[in-house]
Amino acid sequence: MVSAPQGIKILAVDDNHEGLFALEQLLLARGFEVITASSGEETLEKAESERPDLILLDVVMPEPDGYEVARRLKAHAELRYIPVVLLTGKDELRDVLRGFEQGADDYICKPYQSAELVARVHAALRVRRLYTELRDVRVANRHLQARLREEFAFGNIIGKSAAMTELYQIMAKVVDSEVPVLVTGESGTGKEMIAMALHANGPRRDRAFVVQNCSAFNENLLESELFGHVKGAFTGAVRDKQGLFEVADGGTFFLDELGEMSPALQVKLLRVLQDGTFMPVGGTKQKKVDVRIIAATNRDLEDMVQKGTFRQDLYYRLNVVSLRLPPLRERLGDVPLLVQFFLSKIAGKSGQQRKAIAPDAMNALEMYFWPGNIRQLENELQRACVMSGKDELIVREHLSPAVIDAASPGKRISAALDTQGKALKDILEQVEREMIQKTLAQCEGNKSEAARQLGISRSNLIAKTQEYGLE
């Protein structure tokens, strides 16, 4: 005889008092804790108050009957996880199917053998364990989604410069939209974070967020990753493989480094954007998905279109809304905010107290050119925390030689002038930005004095600081 798991509570329901008593005694003899009900309404009340592990439910009762009770239980946000086994004298197929349609997990025909009923009870309790796991996963998923929404809220994106403020305004307008978004910017500016923020705050936040770097695979492997393949499509394809577009169905697909995608794959991507359909590698049947695409690139797609290396029709399909992430050198006023954020993050990972940063070190960080953008700044601060050892204060000497050396005005302007591929206008703007940044730092933010030293009007200086995001 199989013994009952300890502490298992069963709600037994029957409007026939003799039958209910016999069922109760049978279950008690097997070691179960038993509560009883003799009507549909009483069943619903006790299920709510007692939260049993299993319900054995008679079908034929005064309204509401067992079918209706099962339907209500399975419609309840919490009670739906309690297995329901119907006790019925109707063994015709239509009656059995009706019970399953209302959400019942199993049924037992009356009159039943004691051994059969106990075996069905234990089977239903195994279902209960699966239900419990499912409920726990869903609760954990809700908590995770809430944390993601909090972590990637627009207000948590670091930056108060004019360029970033403009970016937030555009993001707020497109977050609830389904249109494709093209995120552009240099490497290390945080394009994936922007894509995640759009997803986490949008209507698809409870569905998948899938990321694929288009430069990570060659053309054939990337096609298989994106669209999947069927068994036998190529050597090594020993089974069907689901593509990432299927994984992302209903959610958001972030395609990073889109400019590296081959012309052949660009055609397939265009098809997905047009009608949501694609063909797996080696397949003969179209598949259809509902995916919002956010693409990112650090390349000039317009120039690639002119050169014929990127499809014009795909460019226009993707570039419905464009978000340009400014390089860090165009938003140096945000450096102190980013520094404090990364120092807190580093301290959290190491379990140590957050380090402070000395004014001379902060000044050097604000004066550096940051060719690697935000990613380079984070790495620089990780290095500084290591080099400072047990010191609670990061000083200039803890920074890398490149940052210290480049902090001088001459070095910074040389860095701008040595940048290849820039038009004269861009170089002149960079030099102007550097001079304004340095002079404001020397004048401790006094715009009137800075304007006097620069030989321009105060109103002109204010306009320039707004233009360059130096406020």
Side-chain angles (χ1 to χ4, degrees):
M1 179 185 299
V2 179
S3 60
Q6 190 173 10
I8 293 297
K9 183 190 300 184
I10 298 178
L11 173 56
V13 183
D14 198 328
D15 65 336
N16 182 296
H17 295 290
E18 292 181 358
L20 181 59
F21 179 77
L23 177 59
E24 180 183 16
Q25 295 305 306
L26 172 61
L27 294 171
L28 288 172
R30 297 305 192 278
F32 294 104
E33 180 182 344
V34 185
I35 52 177
T36 61
S38 56
S39 69
E41 290 297 344
E42 187 182 8
T43 301
L44 294 169
E45 291 173 3
K46 288 194 174 180
E48 179 70 48
S49 61
E50 299 287 343
R51 300 298 172 97
D53 300 294
L54 172 65
I55 299 176
L56 298 176
L57 180 62
D58 187 27
V59 171
V60 180
M61 295 186 296
E63 291 295 330
D65 62 11
Y67 295 130
E68 174 62 16
V69 172
R71 186 193 69 77
R72 293 190 195 178
L73 289 169
K74 294 301 180 178
H76 192 282
E78 293 296 328
L79 302 182
R80 63 190 303 180
Y81 296 107
I82 302 174
V84 175
V85 178
L86 295 180
L87 305 177
T88 175
K90 302 179 179 181
D91 60 354
E92 293 185 12
L93 180 60
R94 66 174 181 272
D95 297 310
V96 173
L97 292 178
R98 182 183 175 191
F100 287 137
E101 287 171 355
Q102 302 307 312
D105 299 282
D106 199 359
Y107 75 98
I108 302 175
C109 288
K110 295 180 179 180
Y112 47 78
Q113 296 293 322
S114 298
E116 178 192 8
L117 184 135
V118 173
R120 294 291 183 94
V121 165
H122 282 284
L125 291 174
R126 290 194 291 272
V127 172
R128 168 186 167 272
R129 287 194 292 271
L130 294 176
Y131 274 152
T132 300
E133 292 176 7
L134 175 61
R135 180 184 59 195
D136 293 344
V137 167
R138 287 181 171 175
V139 170
N141 186 57
R142 285 198 297 270
H143 290 162
L144 177 61
Q145 292 293 339
R147 287 178 57 191
L148 284 174
R149 286 195 292 274
E150 180 180 351
E151 180 178 351
F152 289 97
F154 293 167
N156 290 339
I157 301 176
I158 309 299
K160 295 183 179 180
S161 61
M164 293 302 292
T165 300
E166 181 180 354
L167 180 70
Y168 303 149
Q169 292 172 348
I170 300 174
M171 290 176 65
K173 292 178 181 178
V174 303
V175 66
D176 291 325
S177 171
E178 296 293 318
V179 300
V181 175
L182 180 62
V183 186
T184 62
E186 297 177 5
S187 295
T189 50
K191 296 186 288 295
E192 184 174 338
M193 181 191 68
I194 295 299
M196 186 64 203
L198 288 173
H199 170 77
N201 293 277
R204 296 174 181 260
R205 58 181 170 267
D206 294 327
R207 305 302 294 273
F209 177 74
V210 178
V211 179
Q212 177 60 54
N213 188 316
C214 297
S215 65
F217 298 100
N218 63 36
E219 179 180 347
N220 293 332
L221 288 177
L222 181 60
E223 182 178 11
S224 175
E225 285 294 311
L226 295 178
F227 306 108
H229 63 250
V230 300
K231 180 180 178 181
F234 49 81
T235 302
V238 295
R239 61 179 65 87
D240 290 355
K241 179 182 184 298
Q242 187 181 48
L244 292 179
F245 269 104
E246 284 188 83
V247 176
D249 190 21
T252 303
F253 200 166
F254 176 56
L255 289 168
D256 199 7
E257 302 297 347
L258 183 74
E260 307 303 321
M261 185 177 286
S262 70
L265 289 185
Q266 291 175 28
V267 175
K268 297 195 74 168
L269 177 58
L270 179 63
R271 184 65 180 271
V272 178
L273 284 163
Q274 288 174 335
D275 57 20
T277 63
F278 64 91
M279 186 86 73
V281 178
T284 57
K285 293 183 178 180
Q286 293 275 6
K287 293 192 174 184
K288 189 175 179 65
V289 291
D290 172 25
V291 174
R292 184 185 190 184
I293 293 179
I294 301 176
T297 181
N298 60 5
R299 302 185 64 179
D300 187 341
L301 292 188
E302 288 190 28
D303 183 60
M304 293 178 66
V305 169
Q306 294 297 321
K307 293 178 179 178
T309 56
F310 198 86
R311 293 183 63 94
Q312 185 180 58
D313 47 4
L314 177 58
Y315 173 68
Y316 288 129
R317 278 279 182 180
L318 288 168
N319 194 29
V320 177
V321 175
S322 180
L323 296 174
R324 176 185 176 272
L325 271 174
L328 187 53
R329 62 182 174 274
E330 292 183 9
R331 44 179 294 218
L332 290 173
D334 290 333
V335 167
L337 296 174
L338 290 164
V339 168
Q340 297 307 323
F341 170 77
F342 286 132
L343 289 179
S344 295
K345 179 180 176 182
I346 294 167
K349 286 184 176 180
S350 64
Q352 299 176 352
Q353 184 177 358
R354 190 183 80 178
K355 292 180 180 286
I357 186 160
D360 62 341
M362 181 67 80
N363 182 65
L365 295 174
E366 290 183 275
M367 298 294 284
Y368 186 55
F369 195 64
W370 298 114
N373 294 296
I374 296 174
R375 187 181 299 130
Q376 183 188 4
L377 173 61
E378 181 177 9
N379 293 337
E380 177 68 25
L381 291 169
Q382 288 177 336
R383 178 189 183 280
C385 287
V386 173
M387 298 304 294
S388 62
K390 296 182 179 180
D391 296 343
E392 296 181 1
L393 186 67
I394 295 173
V395 298
R396 184 186 179 96
E397 288 69 27
H398 295 143
L399 302 178
S400 62
V403 174
I404 297 173
D405 184 53
S408 64
K411 290 288 186 178
R412 285 175 52 75
I413 292 175
S414 295
L417 293 175
D418 288 342
T419 303
Q420 297 181 356
K422 279 193 172 185
L424 177 60
K425 175 178 178 293
D426 295 331
I427 295 175
L428 292 175
E429 287 181 352
Q430 182 63 47
V431 173
E432 184 178 52
R433 182 186 299 110
E434 305 295 344
M435 292 185 65
I436 292 174
Q437 173 76 20
K438 173 183 177 294
T439 305
L440 282 170
Q442 289 177 339
C443 298
E444 297 182 348
N446 187 321
K447 290 185 174 64
S448 297
E449 178 59 23
R452 188 189 66 77
Q453 292 186 21
L454 290 167
I456 60 176
S457 67
R458 187 176 187 277
S459 60
N460 191 11
L461 175 62
I462 292 174
K464 290 293 184 182
T465 57
Q466 292 175 342
E467 177 184 354
Y468 295 140
L470 300 177
E471 290 191 320

